Amino acid sequence: MKKVLLSIIIPVYNVEKYLFECVESVRNYPDTEIILINDGSTDSSGHICDSFKDENIIVIHKKNGGLSSARNAGLKTAKGKYVYFLDSDDYIKDFGKILDFISSKECEILLFDGMGEDYYTHHGLNKNTRYTGIECIETQIKKYKDYPTTVWLGVYQREYLLKNDFFFEENLLHEDELWTQKVLINAKNIFYLNEKLYFYRQRENSITQKTGKKNLSDLIYIFGEMYKYTDSRFIKANISKRYLHALAKFKAWKYDLEIDKRKIFSNAGGFDKIRAFVLIVNTKLYCGLSERLR
């Protein structure tokens, strides 16, 4: 059986404009396999997937189940020592740098950076330094007061994911927020490749860019879960910060949703403590003040 160092998992849904560029950016590298999961596309994406099919490219056609469902299908199919989740409307450059690293060093997770927004950079991490998950997250929070939670800024050891049952929770928007933190926090062996390799394309019709009750209710659930995975005061304060931002962004006062305001307050730090107190007093007032302070 052919050795597979890395399985590249690409969920596909109605991305006919971008799919070719995405696949070509990771195609024809040694010791890799590409798994294209056509998640019920209604445009020509499925046909484009089939046009790529060869001994190194696996195509799966399935009923639409959402991004998490497609990623899970890819993870269950993968044979590589490592897996990488690439979004089909984005692309990556210099993929060989990632392969060179994971072929020469053992790790559970290899992190790297994305082009564009500063938020896609792992601030404070040093190359060739081994981190635990807690160290990795806390270092970035102390340096930058935040850290990326996007799944596509990391390569993950497949055995590590499977033995911990780290599959994506389905029917959930913003699933990266929950999955990435769980995966990072439990890791004991993380390295950082100081390279901007990922090109993220933010589309206006992306569902996670739209406001609405589903976006907010899923985030409320996610942040509530995230508090459970760590005792670190730095990480819990960061969760409160993200929680507060989401409530303001999606105008929480419009919806009848249960929010654990006191948990946000008890874990918040610095100025976020004041913001959380205003939230306790009045949700609409908090959202209005947050909008003015942006």
Side-chain angles (χ1 to χ4, degrees):
M1 184 178 291
K2 179 186 173 184
K3 172 189 171 186
V4 180
L5 176 64
L6 179 63
S7 299
I8 304 159
I9 298 167
I10 308 178
V12 175
Y13 180 73
N14 290 355
V15 284
E16 59 187 5
K17 288 172 58 179
Y18 313 110
L19 185 56
F20 183 83
E21 183 178 28
C22 173
V23 175
E24 286 297 316
S25 73
V26 292
R27 196 178 183 186
N28 297 324
Y29 283 98
D31 304 325
T32 64
E33 65 176 3
I34 296 174
I35 304 172
L36 297 170
I37 305 98
N38 175 33
D39 190 42
S41 295
T42 57
D43 65 1
S44 64
S45 296
H47 297 295
I48 297 171
C49 287
D50 286 334
S51 73
F52 279 116
K53 193 184 299 184
D54 63 27
E55 63 177 344
N56 297 320
I57 300 182
I58 300 164
V59 177
I60 299 170
H61 296 280
K62 63 183 285 296
K63 182 180 178 181
N64 180 256
L67 184 55
S68 291
S69 171
R71 285 173 175 165
N72 288 340
L75 180 55
K76 291 172 184 176
T77 303
K79 298 294 188 293
K81 181 177 180 180
Y82 294 93
V83 296
Y84 178 59
F85 300 97
L86 172 60
D87 282 0
S88 53
D89 51 354
D90 301 331
Y91 63 97
I92 197 163
K93 72 166 189 172
D94 296 332
F95 201 66
K97 291 181 178 179
I98 293 171
L99 295 170
D100 288 344
F101 192 98
I102 60 176
S103 63
S104 62
K105 256 191 185 130
E106 287 284 330
C107 60
E108 290 170 324
I109 302 171
L110 172 64
L111 299 174
F112 49 89
D113 297 331
M115 300 291 290
E117 295 186 34
D118 203 35
Y119 181 68
Y120 302 132
T121 299
H122 293 90
H123 294 275
L125 299 185
N126 298 315
K127 63 180 181 179
N128 297 322
T129 299
R130 188 187 304 272
Y131 297 93
T132 66
I134 298 294
E135 291 169 344
C136 174
I137 297 174
E138 286 188 344
T139 298
Q140 295 178 80
I141 291 172
K142 291 173 185 177
K143 176 71 176 180
Y144 188 62
K145 297 184 173 57
D146 219 334
Y147 70 100
T149 57
T150 44
V151 62
W152 32 257
L153 290 180
V155 168
Y156 310 90
Q157 187 186 81
R158 183 169 63 93
E159 181 183 351
Y160 167 65
L161 298 183
L162 295 178
K163 76 179 181 182
N164 289 287
D165 198 29
F166 284 144
F167 289 93
F168 293 85
E169 189 159 342
E170 300 187 12
N171 302 313
L172 194 65
L173 300 178
H174 310 281
E175 69 291 327
D176 287 16
E177 289 263 5
L178 181 57
W179 188 89
T180 304
Q181 173 154 290
K182 287 194 295 185
V183 170
L184 286 174
I185 281 176
N186 285 274
K188 306 299 182 190
N189 187 355
I190 299 175
F191 281 95
Y192 168 59
L193 183 62
N194 187 16
E195 297 277 355
K196 290 185 177 293
L197 303 177
Y198 196 90
F199 286 75
Y200 170 66
R201 182 180 281 115
Q202 184 167 309
R203 293 187 288 154
E204 289 184 3
N205 63 345
S206 169
I207 192 166
T208 56
Q209 298 304 318
K210 297 177 181 178
T211 59
K213 188 173 183 179
K214 171 65 172 168
N215 267 293
L216 184 57
S217 63
D218 283 2
L219 282 169
I220 289 171
Y221 166 76
I222 287 168
F223 294 129
E225 289 294 299
M226 285 167 65
Y227 285 121
K228 301 175 184 178
Y229 293 108
T230 181
D231 294 323
S232 165
R233 66 182 180 89
F234 292 103
I235 298 175
K236 286 191 170 185
N238 179 262
I239 295 168
S240 285
K241 175 185 175 180
R242 292 171 184 257
Y243 205 154
L244 287 163
H245 173 76
L247 293 173
K249 177 180 179 180
F250 293 109
K251 298 179 173 54
W253 61 271
K254 288 184 174 182
Y255 310 106
D256 183 21
L257 296 170
E258 187 174 341
I259 302 165
D260 194 340
K261 298 177 182 180
R262 297 196 178 275
K263 179 166 282 188
I264 298 172
F265 177 81
S266 66
N267 288 289
F271 182 67
D272 288 334
K273 205 82 170 174
I274 299 172
R275 297 172 66 209
F277 178 76
V278 176
L279 175 69
I280 290 173
V281 172
N282 186 287
T283 302
K284 187 171 184 178
L285 173 65
Y286 164 72
C287 291
L289 288 175
S290 296
E291 184 66 29
R292 291 188 183 92
L293 292 171
R294 287 176 67 179

